[in-house]
């Protein structure tokens, strides 16, 4: 029989509140850059996060599918350019994810301190 | 999905690292520091040549012109490197600094308080720098603002007259801003 630690339920609640779409290192990185700026292009994101084109594209598709980012493909002169920005839903999901992660850490620390 | 505290800790560290990197790559703070630092050094020469009264007209022209040049540079650079920052707070602080410096400069003259005209605008500029430092999360800029504010307060306390105080402040502010701008340029080159 396992004995539940104090605060176990609270930690479990924090884990359940995590959003699978955002709770992933690269996608969290993408939202970090896009919430820090007004908008960024594909190249800036790729270089800042040190990703390959293909890897970044896959994660962008997931975020766009969830409505967390907006993609704007334009031609500047003759050059195609892809601008990306976090939507309101994306900003909210990012803020929520950070809150959950911090709550998880705080509660784990509290558990560690309890006798 | 299993998420442990260790996982959460790593993700938060990652977020902070990406934030710093993104902010550093997007920042153009070196440009206004170099531009306004140079203008400030020139203004020290203006005080020496034409007296403290010439500072008002000088900054009335150079201040807004510098702001427009900085905005054009920031826009071109953002297009080149592929990132646009939230520019409204930067413009708002710039306008407040310009209004504050003009008000204190002219107000000091109108009230017959030359020291207010000499030191007040510098303190407003330092307050603006502190706001920019907070926006950019730049310790360098924050430290520069506090050091310059302390210097601005100490000058009259040391018994320096208004006109030499204005010239000294302009020269020290200019030199310190140029130095800070060059440090930021060097950091950018190293990245």
């Amino acid at each position: 029989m396992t004995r539940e630690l104090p605060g176990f339920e609270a930690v479990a609640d924090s884990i359940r509140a995590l959003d699978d779409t955002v709770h992933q290192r690269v996608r969290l990185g993408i939202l970090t850059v896009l919430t820090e700026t007004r908008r960024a292009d594909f190249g800036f994101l790729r270089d800042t996060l040190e990703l390959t084109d293909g890897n970044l594209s896959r994660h962008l598709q997931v975020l766009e599918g969830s409505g967390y980012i907006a993609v704007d493909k334009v031609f500047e002169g003759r050059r195609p350019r892809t601008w990306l920005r976090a939507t309101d839903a994306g900003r909210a999901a990012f803020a929520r994810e950070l809150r959950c992660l911090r709550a998880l850490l705080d509660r784990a620390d509290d558990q560690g301190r309890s006798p | 999905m299993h998420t442990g505290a260790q996982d959460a800790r790593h993700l938060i560290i990652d977020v902070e690292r990406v934030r710093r990197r993104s902010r550093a790559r997007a920042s153009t703070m070196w440009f206004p520091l170099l531009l306004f630092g140079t203008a400030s050094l020139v203004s020290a020469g203006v005080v020496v040549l034409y007296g403290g009264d010439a500072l008002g007209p000088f900054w009335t022209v150079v201040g807004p012109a510098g702001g427009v040049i900085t905005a054009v540079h920031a826009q071109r650079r953002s297009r080149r490197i592929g990132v646009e920052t939230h520019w409204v707070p930067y413009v708002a602080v710039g306008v407040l600094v310009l209004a504050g410096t003009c008000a204190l400069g002219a107000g000091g003259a109108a009230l017959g308080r030359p020291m207010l005209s000499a030191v007040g605008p510098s303190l407003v500029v330092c307050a603006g720098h502190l706001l920019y430092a907070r926006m950019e999360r730049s310790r360098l800029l924050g430290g520069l603002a506090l050091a310059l504010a302390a210097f601005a307060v100490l000058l009259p306390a040391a018994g320096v007259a208004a006109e030499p105080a204005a010239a000294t402040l302009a020269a020290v502010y200019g030199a310190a801003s140029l130095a800070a701008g060059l440090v930021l340029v060097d950091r950018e080159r190293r990245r």
Side-chain angles (χ1 to χ4, degrees):
Chain A
M1 190 180 124
T2 56
R3 184 174 148 258
E4 286 187 0
L5 292 166
F8 178 86
E9 264 311 309
V11 173
D13 282 347
S14 293
I15 292 172
R16 277 193 290 272
L18 291 168
D19 179 342
D20 278 346
T21 306
V22 183
H23 187 69
Q24 197 279 342
R25 201 181 65 83
V26 174
R27 292 198 283 273
L28 200 54
I30 292 169
L31 283 178
T32 302
V33 176
L34 294 182
T35 51
E36 196 66 27
T37 58
R38 205 161 76 89
R39 63 176 187 165
D41 78 356
F42 188 91
F44 183 86
L45 268 177
R46 180 195 57 211
D47 297 344
T48 303
L49 298 169
E50 296 172 329
L51 298 170
T52 61
D53 287 1
N55 196 3
L56 177 58
S57 291
R58 273 194 298 279
H59 289 293
L60 289 176
Q61 277 171 13
V62 173
L63 288 169
E64 189 186 12
S66 301
Y68 289 168
I69 63 166
V71 181
D72 190 16
K73 293 184 180 183
V74 295
F75 272 91
E76 291 179 359
R78 287 182 173 179
R79 204 170 138 229
R81 195 165 204 180
T82 305
W83 286 101
L84 305 132
R85 65 175 176 80
T87 60
D88 289 344
R91 288 177 190 277
F94 177 72
R96 208 165 41 238
E97 170 76 6
L98 284 189
R99 270 200 308 274
C100 286
L101 289 175
R102 292 203 171 106
L104 191 59
L105 259 187
D106 289 346
R107 283 159 186 173
D109 287 347
D110 287 346
Q111 276 186 8
R113 275 194 293 271
S114 65
Chain B
M1 177 186 68
H2 174 75
T3 302
Q6 201 62 18
D7 185 16
R9 196 180 306 277
H10 285 150
L11 283 173
I12 288 174
I13 290 170
D14 259 359
V15 165
E16 284 309 317
R17 186 181 56 80
V18 170
R19 251 187 198 153
R20 276 196 301 274
R21 190 171 158 77
S22 170
R23 210 179 292 137
R25 294 192 73 214
S27 175
T28 56
M29 197 40 87
W30 59 268
F31 184 83
L33 281 171
L34 292 182
L35 183 69
F36 284 100
T38 306
S40 191
L41 280 178
V42 172
S43 79
V46 166
V47 175
V48 172
L49 288 174
Y50 304 106
D53 290 344
L55 266 184
F58 176 84
W59 282 113
T60 304
V61 174
V62 172
V68 170
I69 293 168
T70 301
V72 169
H73 169 264
Q75 201 202 10
R76 283 189 180 169
R77 187 172 179 275
S78 76
R79 288 267 158 199
R80 185 163 47 80
I81 66 170
V83 65
E84 284 180 12
T85 50
H86 302 279
W87 53 270
V88 174
Y90 289 86
V91 173
V93 171
V95 170
L96 283 176
V97 166
L98 189 65
T101 50
C102 287
L104 284 181
L111 294 170
R113 307 265 307 266
M115 194 52 86
L116 182 64
S117 295
V119 175
S122 297
L123 291 175
V124 172
V125 170
C126 291
H129 274 34
L130 275 179
L131 289 173
Y132 283 132
R134 184 169 163 70
M135 283 188 245
E136 295 267 321
R137 293 170 178 91
S138 167
R139 284 182 196 160
L140 176 75
L141 201 53
L144 178 75
L146 290 176
L148 287 172
F151 187 69
V153 171
L154 284 175
L155 263 184
V160 180
E163 200 159 294
T168 308
L169 273 173
V172 170
Y173 169 81
S177 296
L178 276 179
L182 290 173
V183 167
L184 292 179
V185 168
D186 184 53
R187 278 187 195 168
E188 184 160 304
R189 283 202 182 131
R190 283 168 195 264
R191 269 197 297 272

